Each structure stands twice: as C-alpha cells, then as structure tokens.
Amino acid sequence: ALTSLEVVNQEKVATVSKKAAATTGTTGKLVAGKKIKVGELLYPMLLESGNDAAEAIAEAYGRDQFIRAMNVKSGAIGLSQTFFAEPTGLSADNVSSAYDLAKLAHYLHLYKQHIFDITKTPSYKGGNHLWYSRNGFQDNQVDYLGGKIGFTDEAKQTGVAIFSVPFAGGADRPIVVVLLQSENRRNDLNKVVDYLKRYVFYGEEKDLPAKNDKKVTGA
C-alpha cells in the first residue's frame, strides 16, 4: 500500500489479469478483465486481505519493478531486516521482524495516515463490489487507530496495529502492537494491552505513583 501511494498514479485504471484473479486468497473477489482504479484496489487489499488486489496493483506498475520499489522504500525508512520477494505476503521468502514492522507502522502513522484510515473503515463500496473489514481489531476495548492482520502457515497469526492506550497517570498514547507467530491473536493482543494499562506509567519518574514499584516509566 505504501509503495503504491509513492510510485503509482492512484487514478490509473488497472486491468485485473488472469494471474492476479487466480491468486491464492482471492478475498478481494476480483475477476479477470475487471477494470478498476489503483487507488480503489487498496480497499480490498487492506480490508479483506485481497491478495488478488495486491497482485493487480503490482502489475499495474510492472510487477518486477514494483517489488524492487518495495525493497527500496523499506531500506529508505530503515527496515534493515525486511525483504520482499513478491507483493502479496504469501511467500515464506518475504521476511521482516517485529521491530521493523513497528517502525513501518510508526512511519505510516506520521506520513501515510491514509493507509490506517482505510483499515479503520468498516466497509467500502466500489462499483458492484462491497468489501468488508476483516482486520479484527475494532472490537478490542481500546481506541483502534488502524492496522492489519495476516496469516500464513510459516508466520501463523500476525498483526500490526496502533491503539490509543490509557496509561497510568492519565495520558492516552498511541502505541504500536506487533504480533508474530501467534496461536490466538485476540487473546495475545488483549494481554499486551492489559499489561500496558496496568504496569506502564507514561511520564517523568518523579510523577510515578507513591509506593508503586511495579510501574515501568514510559517517558
């Protein structure tokens, strides 16, 4: 999504190829021959994890060139442990780390908020398509600021999201949560957020609650 916004004219009309339409995980429900703007393809890709949409975006620019652009951009923003072999995320040759994914989320939050705004959208109607969010974070008892989930056999349940978490001390802070190799994404997310709310105090050390040695200063 980030590379698409950087290098592809979002008004460009892409024609979905047979290869893209046949991509594993075709939750975008795209059919071969369909014509659709690149900017609109972001919605099935980000809301429904449409690998068909990801392929169609890459093909609209030139698949090999697009993959190179993905790796160039990841290097430019400091993702030193990240490599893209193809555009969908299906291949085990795509690699990254929790730290790199957190840096990516931070970058998007600062400079490409449009991507996170899409992931917060419950549904989007484009032409005769209606795509629904499968991101699964909206129901958590914290303010969801955007994110994306995924799954492959190698990576298991994964997720990257930003939440506004109420810390001890009364301050809400945007926090990136990254989950990799999870067996139960929802349960793990709730544990992480609960830990932050219980044990992390955001502020100066002098402002820590009296007689509380369990708090971790987040300043």
Side-chain angles (χ1 to χ4, degrees):
L2 172 59
T3 301
S4 177
L5 289 172
E6 297 255 321
V7 304
V8 187
N9 181 350
Q10 299 298 288
E11 293 297 311
K12 180 177 182 178
V13 176
T15 301
V16 179
S17 69
K18 291 182 179 179
K19 177 182 176 181
T23 305
T24 301
T26 55
T27 51
K29 299 181 282 290
L30 302 177
V31 296
K34 180 176 178 59
K35 296 184 182 299
I36 183 171
K37 289 183 179 180
V38 170
E40 202 159 53
L41 284 168
L42 292 176
Y43 288 86
M45 184 177 72
L46 292 172
L47 293 180
E48 298 215 16
S49 291
N51 296 320
D52 45 0
E55 280 287 352
I57 289 172
E59 289 178 359
Y61 186 72
R63 192 175 188 274
D64 291 343
Q65 297 94 314
F66 190 86
I67 295 167
R68 281 197 292 271
M70 291 172 70
N71 285 305
V72 168
K73 184 61 181 181
S74 67
I77 61 178
L79 310 186
S80 60
Q81 296 175 303
T82 298
F83 172 76
F84 298 103
E86 48 82 47
T88 69
L90 289 171
S91 171
D93 292 332
N94 296 296
V95 294
S96 192
S97 66
Y99 184 54
D100 272 11
L101 291 171
K103 285 197 290 185
L104 174 59
H106 182 241
Y107 182 89
L108 297 179
H109 181 64
L110 291 178
Y111 303 112
K112 285 292 187 290
Q113 184 60 42
H114 176 58
I115 292 174
F116 279 138
D117 288 342
I118 289 176
T119 66
K120 291 190 296 181
T121 305
S123 63
Y124 179 83
K125 187 176 186 346
N128 59 348
H129 286 284
L130 180 59
W131 296 294
Y132 292 95
S133 173
R134 298 171 181 255
N135 283 323
F137 285 130
Q138 294 94 324
D139 296 334
N140 288 277
Q141 300 303 307
V142 289
D143 289 329
Y144 172 65
L145 302 181
K148 181 76 177 61
I149 64 172
F151 175 83
T152 63
D153 290 338
E154 296 84 3
K156 299 183 181 179
Q157 294 183 26
T158 63
V160 182
I162 296 184
F163 299 93
S164 181
V165 178
F167 280 84
D172 287 5
R173 303 293 301 184
I175 294 294
V176 178
V177 177
V178 179
L179 300 174
L180 301 176
Q181 294 284 318
S182 175
E183 300 285 353
N184 187 324
R185 181 169 42 226
R186 181 179 293 274
N187 186 52
D188 288 345
L189 172 66
N190 288 336
K191 285 181 178 178
V192 170
V193 173
D194 183 63
Y195 180 90
L196 291 171
K197 291 164 70 175
R198 286 174 177 267
Y199 297 119
V200 177
F201 177 89
Y202 194 91
E204 300 294 334
E205 188 172 359
K206 63 182 177 61
D207 298 323
L208 282 169
K211 297 181 181 180
N212 188 341
D213 58 1
K214 291 184 178 180
K215 299 291 183 185
V216 179
T217 305

